[in-house]
Amino acid sequence: GAVVSQHPSWVICKSGTSVKIECRSLDFQATTMFWYRQFPKQSLMLMATSNEGSKATYEQGVEKDKFLINHASLTLSTLTVTSAHPEDSSFYICSARRADFNSPLHFGNGTRLTVT
Amino acid sequence: QKEVEQDPGPLSVPEGAIVSLNCTYSNSAFQYFMWYRQYSRKGPELLMYTYSSGNKEDGRFTAQVDKSSKYISLFIRDSQPSDSATYLCAMRGVSFGAGTTVTVRA
């Protein structure tokens, strides 16, 4: 099956610093990758959609300058949380999809970010 | 109206029972349907991927699609405590239900 690796699985950082999260598709080419945020006992909240080689499309209410997304290759997308604050503490998950619009998403295992 | 509606539960069943989960959707253009299982503090894992109306079986899991009613279901037979998780339905892979939390009691 398709494998998506997300790293790190957890990170603790100080307020004001930036944190980068990586999402890699290990055995397929991911034309599109998605980034989500998930609060405890809630469903996935889509933050942005990124297509390889182009700018990410952010959902309404998501600050693009705070959550920088780069999808430089068909196997790697990164999410950088800039100038993190305690309210940015959350579970961040990525998913990846092949070129076929109707193909299923494959998810990473998430990153638990804690900002102190 | 949300594109996908799913009862968040929670749902608690005894071991060995059949778990029945369902979602409704509003966009008749949806043709591909997925069910994901998410354990606590993990990413969702693809369980079932279906296209047409009808049933698809995989081990103890059966996915059912009724496009005329815009209704999809997931059944888990002979449920086990390890099936305790949150189950999310998805359409086209990007429109998700809220997720139903299932607990299977030993």
Side-chain angles (χ1 to χ4, degrees), chain A residues 34 36 38 42-44 91 93 97 101-110 112, chain B residues 31-32 34 36 38 41-46 49 88 92-94 96-99:
Chain A
F34 303 87
Y36 310 82
Q38 188 174 36
Q42 294 190 26
S43 190
L44 303 164
F91 192 54
I93 307 176
R97 186 182 66 197
F101 183 71
N102 289 304
S103 62
L105 299 179
H106 299 279
F107 288 83
N109 257 334
R112 170 79 48 194
Chain B
Q31 296 184 57
Y32 293 84
M34 299 113 201
Y36 291 86
Q38 185 179 21
R41 297 173 182 258
K42 296 287 186 182
E45 168 195 10
L46 181 66
Y49 175 52
L88 300 105
R92 201 190 284 160
V94 292
F96 287 89

Side-chain angles (χ1 to χ4, degrees), chain B:
Chain B
Q1 183 190 9
K2 290 182 183 176
E3 278 198 316
V4 182
E5 298 277 359
Q6 182 178 8
D7 186 342
L11 187 62
S12 179
V13 301
E15 184 175 358
I18 295 175
V19 176
S20 174
L21 304 165
N22 54 72
C23 290
T24 58
Y25 61 95
S26 57
N27 188 340
S28 58
F30 289 145
Q31 296 184 57
Y32 293 84
F33 308 91
M34 299 113 201
W35 285 96
Y36 291 86
R37 176 176 62 195
Q38 185 179 21
Y39 291 112
S40 181
R41 297 173 182 258
K42 296 287 186 182
E45 168 195 10
L46 181 66
L47 274 181
M48 301 288 276
Y49 175 52
T50 58
Y51 166 65
S52 58
S53 283
N55 292 354
K56 180 178 179 179
E57 211 169 293
D58 184 359
R60 295 183 296 110
F61 298 90
T62 300
Q64 208 170 68
V65 175
D66 182 349
K67 288 185 182 178
S68 61
S69 302
K70 299 192 186 69
Y71 190 89
I72 68 169
S73 301
L74 178 71
F75 300 98
I76 308 173
R77 291 186 301 280
D78 187 25
S79 58
Q80 306 293 309
S82 58
D83 295 326
S84 298
T86 296
Y87 293 82
L88 300 105
C89 61
M91 317 289 164
R92 201 190 284 160
V94 292
S95 296
F96 287 89
T100 302
T101 300
V102 174
T103 301
V104 180
R105 308 186 305 273

